[in-house]
Amino acid sequence: MWWFFRIVSSSIFLLTIILSIPISFDVGGRDTGLAYSLALFGFYFVYSAAKLATPEKSRMRWALTSVLQTSQWVVVPALLIWSLHNFAVDASSTDWVSRTIGGLGHRKHTTWTDWIFGNGGLVESVTLGGWDKTLSYSSPVFQLAEGFCTLLVIQAAGQISRWLVNRGRSDTWVLLLLIFSASIIASAVYFLWRMALFPSISNLDATLIGVTVTSAVFLCAIGIGTGRGNPVESSLLFAYVVLCVYQIFTDYIQSPEAQAAAQAAQEQAANQPEFPPLPPIIMASYSTFLHLLGSLPSAVYSSLSFLYAAFQTIAPSVMISLIYRIIVFYCATRIIPAVRESGARALMEEPSLDDSDGANRLLGVLSWFSPSILIAVYTSLLLQHFSASDNEGWTLRDGDAGGNTWRWINVAATISLYAIELYLGSEDTDSGMVSHWKTD
């Protein structure tokens, strides 16, 4: 039963982080969001370090972690209120160096203490500026880490699929895995077709897309043909390459042409006579459901409206990238080492640093500090879409995401690593990840 409360607690923590950080940016501005995310990063870094520094199953560790874990329900909203109170409504300039140097000469500080430690002082400007630059320079690292973890997940999925095929009932599993792989490839081809219709793709972009997709297809065919890969690995690699290319050329927002076409379709539909889209019994149930929603207490309705407005401040690409990175990072730091060591039973255990495998030890350290890493990754994604102007203020949905060069580098690195894996791999299906599993 304890695992259920852990899942609920982790879900609430994730929802709190996803909603509170963009709210701080949207309401208070860039400095408010940076201050709040830095404070959250520091709090959860101290929490993870306290768990890591104290002996396992000791009273000190239990007491310290219990206090910090319980206090987060008060600390997180308190930090949000503190950041909104002290850092709200910053300048539209995003250059913290010019803002710091220029602002210190114009602000009227009565003492040296206020000039250094006061509101808008040197320490505040340098701290927020350093956090801003750290997140900016860390974006390529997060991008490359995403590709590396994705490759680990792809290899793990391929090894598990081999084990499923070889453990018995192979014909059934082969058919199911082929259907799964074909569905993934068909979905990826659909998004490739959508990219072909983008008006912003130049001749150079089309050449890069062609070379990338051709290389991925060539590697997938070699892997399947030589037996060093399988359809599951190939389909997942092809889908990830298409996902990276798709993210380079779109922000998951409709183009002006598509918006105009959708508006014209709505106007044409409005002129048509109204017919119920579904049978009367279903429409009656739908009307009853809407009536029940309308009779909810005002507090529940206001809460749902607040959640909807909070999610509206986040760009679609940020949510998709965040969800994808959470999945692959979690799989790389928890699921893969657990399955390699003792099977699925280890998924609910805490990661251990007492491991003979250096890679597992590194992944264990990363899993200990996963809340802080999550906050840094999410803030970095939000900053890519933050834009400010003197007339319209700021927004988190219209900024230039940038970083296309590093996305291309990530695609090339992922394909290259997979090619090296195929070159150094063998056709032995009893891999180290699943060879110790019992097959009756």
Side-chain angles (χ1 to χ4, degrees), residues 262-275:
Q263 185 176 1
Q266 291 179 357
E267 293 177 355
Q268 183 179 2
N271 297 328
Q272 299 293 332
E274 295 185 358
F275 292 99

Side-chain angles (χ1 to χ4, degrees), residues 140-361:
V141 178
F142 297 146
Q143 189 72 46
L144 296 177
E146 173 194 308
F148 180 74
C149 293
T150 300
L151 192 58
L152 290 179
V153 174
I154 290 174
Q155 292 177 345
Q159 292 171 355
I160 293 175
S161 64
R162 292 191 186 97
W163 178 79
L164 290 173
V165 171
N166 295 331
R167 67 184 294 267
R169 296 183 180 179
S170 58
D171 294 339
T172 302
W173 281 113
V174 166
L175 181 61
L176 292 177
L177 293 175
L178 284 177
I179 295 175
F180 173 75
S181 303
S183 302
I184 293 178
I185 293 176
S187 302
V189 171
Y190 167 74
F191 284 100
L192 274 179
W193 172 76
R194 288 199 60 184
M195 279 189 291
L197 303 179
F198 289 167
S200 60
I201 295 180
S202 62
N203 293 332
L204 178 60
D205 296 333
T207 303
L208 290 175
I209 293 174
V211 170
T212 303
V213 174
T214 304
S215 301
V217 172
F218 182 71
L219 281 178
C220 295
I222 289 179
I224 296 176
T226 59
R228 298 177 180 179
N230 55 37
V232 174
E233 285 186 8
S234 301
S235 61
L236 292 177
L237 177 67
F238 181 72
Y240 179 67
V241 170
V242 173
L243 173 65
C244 292
V245 176
Y246 192 82
Q247 288 179 335
I248 292 174
F249 296 102
T250 183
D251 198 21
Y252 301 96
I253 299 177
Q254 288 183 336
S255 62
E257 295 82 2
Q259 293 179 357
Q263 185 176 1
Q266 291 179 357
E267 293 177 355
Q268 183 179 2
N271 297 328
Q272 299 293 332
E274 295 185 358
F275 292 99
L278 296 173
I281 185 173
I282 298 179
M283 293 301 299
S285 302
Y286 177 70
S287 302
T288 304
F289 178 72
L290 291 181
H291 177 71
L292 291 176
L293 289 180
S295 62
L296 288 175
S298 59
V300 177
Y301 185 77
S302 300
S303 300
L304 295 177
S305 300
F306 171 77
L307 291 176
Y308 176 78
F311 277 110
Q312 286 297 109
T313 62
I314 309 173
S317 61
V318 172
M319 288 300 303
I320 294 175
S321 298
L322 178 67
I323 293 173
Y324 180 79
R325 290 183 179 183
I326 288 176
I327 293 174
V328 296
F329 288 166
Y330 182 82
C331 291
T333 57
R334 294 296 297 273
I335 295 179
I336 295 176
V339 173
R340 286 182 60 185
E341 292 299 324
S342 54
R345 291 175 299 176
L347 292 179
M348 303 311 300
E349 299 177 0
E350 291 291 339
S352 176
L353 300 180
D354 299 331
D355 200 309
S356 58
D357 192 349
N360 284 356
R361 190 181 299 112

Side-chain angles (χ1 to χ4, degrees), residues 103-104 106-112 114-116 118-122:
L104 292 177
H106 294 86
R107 294 191 183 98
K108 295 182 180 180
H109 297 283
T110 57
T111 61
W112 284 96
D114 293 338
W115 187 80
I116 297 176
N119 188 14
L122 181 63

Side-chain angles (χ1 to χ4, degrees), residues 42-88:
F43 174 76
Y44 284 105
F45 185 86
V46 171
Y47 172 68
S48 302
K51 292 177 63 177
L52 192 60
T54 53
E56 188 177 0
K57 296 182 180 179
S58 63
R59 294 183 178 179
M60 180 182 298
R61 178 177 181 177
W62 179 83
L64 186 59
T65 56
S66 298
V67 171
L68 292 176
Q69 191 172 7
T70 305
S71 64
Q72 69 177 345
W73 305 108
V74 179
V75 171
V76 172
L79 291 177
L80 179 60
I81 296 173
W82 167 79
S83 61
L84 290 173
H85 177 71
N86 292 280
F87 302 95

